[in-house]
Amino acid sequence: MSSTLGIDSPATSPFPPADSASRNLLIDANEAEELRREFLQPQPSLPSKYFYDQTGSELFDAICELDEYYPTRTEASIMQDNIDEMVDAIGTAGRLIEYGSGSSLKTRLLLDNMYPEVAYVPVDISGDYLQQVADQLRGDFPDRRIDPIAADFTRPFQLPKQQHAQSRDVVYFPGSTIGNFRPAAASSLLSQMRNQVGRGGGLLIGFDLQKAPAVLEAAYDDRRGVTALFNLNLLRHLNRVAGANFQMEQYRHVAFYNDINHRIEMHLESTREQRVQLAGCSRTIRKGERILTEYSHKYSMDGFTRMAADSGWRRESVWTDPNEYFAVAMFRS
Ligand code: AVI
């Protein structure tokens, strides 16, 4: 998940320095700076990475089970239905490098089926959790080489050198996480992946397709209100780690499809005027004002292929579901 949603850090901050409250934060100085920068924009926003504390991760798992939230199960069925072709496209030698691997749960099908010579390289920012997952995977897949790397995949990171010159690296980026990046940030991430695997390398990526707005809006505003809780939990998380004083009950979840930019937008709308403190800064949020918390871009097949081509990727194969709701594609550099 992007830490900046595509906003680059200016060399010097245009915002006032943090006050003394920022000394007790559970986030580092760069994160505090990023929060202040986003929150103090004319259109306030908050980085979506703060969705994922313990509660938020559990709520996201619950979202993936919802009737309305089609992406997870659709991608899983595409993988299941086409696993043999995918495994052949990955090839017989090299590494599968998963960006933002988390629990690696969705990758088990590939780990079960890939050629035995292919090593698995899960990349995740949370080092301790990554080691636990890697130990578990080594137990469950004793014949597979597992080489975890603790890194923030949104920034360039070093891979150990390949053992054989002719081996090919394939980046695996499932879950339509690419859709949570703004277009410029998505393009630069695709370029970074391209540079990392070099010529002849691959990219196996899942992305969400454009479809009827009613289907999309239901997926991000479900009847049981799980997505609303997921969105609101971001405020609770920031209260805990970033010295914020959000009153959760004074915001409501808003999700809609922006059909000009082809994206779901999630916001939190304030139900009254209030003064908010966050990471050592403060601002007034008016009644009815919205704080942007997430974009989830939806692509056309051609649009995604063009964006990838601009970053040096040629589409080799694409697999989709009967409704054409979601796509998994193999690109080659
Ligand atoms: C993680 N990401 C791909 C999800 C999405 O669909 O954009 C995050 C999410 N937000 C609300 N529901 C799910």
Side-chain angles (χ1 to χ4, degrees):
M1 190 77 35
S2 164
S3 56
T4 61
L5 282 174
I7 299 170
D8 296 326
S9 299
T12 50
S13 169
F15 300 113
D19 64 24
S20 57
S22 66
R23 285 190 212 116
N24 299 325
L25 308 183
L26 296 178
I27 52 176
D28 66 28
N30 289 336
E31 290 170 316
E33 163 76 23
E34 177 193 33
L35 275 171
R36 290 191 290 273
R37 190 172 64 243
E38 289 207 16
F39 191 56
L40 297 176
Q41 302 273 351
Q43 149 77 81
S45 67
L46 292 168
S48 354
K49 70 176 178 186
Y50 292 100
F51 283 137
Y52 300 96
D53 64 351
Q54 178 74 29
T55 307
S57 301
E58 286 166 18
L59 285 166
F60 181 65
D61 289 345
I63 287 174
C64 294
E65 303 281 319
L66 292 169
D67 286 347
E68 296 99 323
Y69 193 74
Y70 60 85
T72 309
R73 67 173 167 279
T74 309
E75 183 178 36
S77 74
I78 295 170
M79 299 294 294
Q80 195 81 54
D81 292 348
N82 300 283
I83 189 68
D84 293 344
E85 284 180 32
M86 290 182 186
V87 158
D88 281 339
I90 292 167
T92 53
R95 299 179 289 196
L96 184 81
I97 304 155
E98 181 170 0
Y99 274 39
S101 50
S103 65
S104 295
L105 258 184
K106 295 177 191 162
T107 318
R108 287 180 165 255
L109 182 68
L110 283 170
L111 293 173
D112 255 335
N113 286 277
M114 282 189 309
Y115 288 95
E117 301 84 352
V118 180
Y120 175 52
V121 181
V123 180
D124 205 275
I125 196 163
S126 154
D128 293 345
Y129 184 55
L130 181 72
Q131 280 308 331
Q132 274 175 37
V133 172
D135 289 345
Q136 172 98 46
L137 291 175
R138 287 189 186 110
D140 294 347
F141 302 92
D143 299 329
R144 172 95 44 211
R145 212 187 141 120
I146 314 274
D147 292 329
I149 297 182
D152 173 359
F153 71 79
T154 63
R155 310 216 160 92
F157 62 93
Q158 203 68 41
L159 280 173
K161 275 239 162 321
Q162 280 273 43
Q163 285 176 324
H164 306 289
Q166 69 276 35
S167 305
R168 285 197 314 202
D169 284 332
V170 174
V171 169
Y172 180 44
F173 198 41
S176 70
T177 304
I178 191 75
N180 297 129
F181 291 75
R182 293 181 185 197
S187 291
S188 68
L189 183 58
L190 291 172
S191 299
Q192 179 193 314
M193 291 167 169
R194 158 72 186 78
N195 294 338
Q196 198 152 49
V197 298
R199 210 175 170 72
L203 168 65
L204 183 64
I205 188 165
F207 54 96
D208 202 9
L209 295 171
Q210 292 165 9
K211 58 185 68 64
V215 175
L216 289 165
E217 288 180 351
Y220 291 83
D221 195 6
D222 60 281
R223 273 164 303 173
R224 286 175 48 208
V226 182
T227 312
L229 283 180
F230 173 71
N231 199 5
L232 287 160
N233 179 64
L234 182 146
L235 301 182
R236 184 173 25 211
H237 186 193
L238 289 172
N239 285 352
R240 200 178 64 246
V241 300
N245 64 342
F246 289 108
Q247 310 281 314
M248 279 174 69
E249 60 293 343
Q250 290 169 8
Y251 293 86
R252 76 178 189 94
H253 167 69
V254 176
F256 60 88
Y257 187 59
N258 173 335
D259 61 3
I260 295 170
N261 300 105
H262 305 292
R263 64 188 181 213
I264 284 283
E265 296 191 11
M266 294 212 316
H267 298 252
L268 289 165
E269 184 179 290
S270 177
T271 56
R272 46 163 281 198
E273 175 161 320
Q274 47 196 309
R275 190 83 192 157
V276 176
Q277 275 146 33
L278 169 71
C281 74
S282 67
R283 77 171 282 166
T284 299
I285 300 287
R286 297 182 312 275
K287 182 174 178 189
E289 190 168 4
R290 291 176 178 178
I291 304 172
L292 171 68
T293 53
E294 186 177 62
Y295 288 147
S296 190
H297 290 86
K298 310 301 166 188
Y299 304 95
S300 67
M301 204 71 94
D302 285 352
F304 193 88
T305 306
R306 260 197 312 275
M307 175 170 79
D310 290 345
S311 300
W313 293 107
R314 178 175 41 83
R315 200 177 81 197
E316 201 175 71
S317 313
V318 64
W319 301 273
T320 185
D321 54 292
N323 292 321
E324 302 204 346
Y325 272 11
F326 199 94
V328 178
M330 177 61 101
F331 290 87
R332 199 61 68 189
S333 63

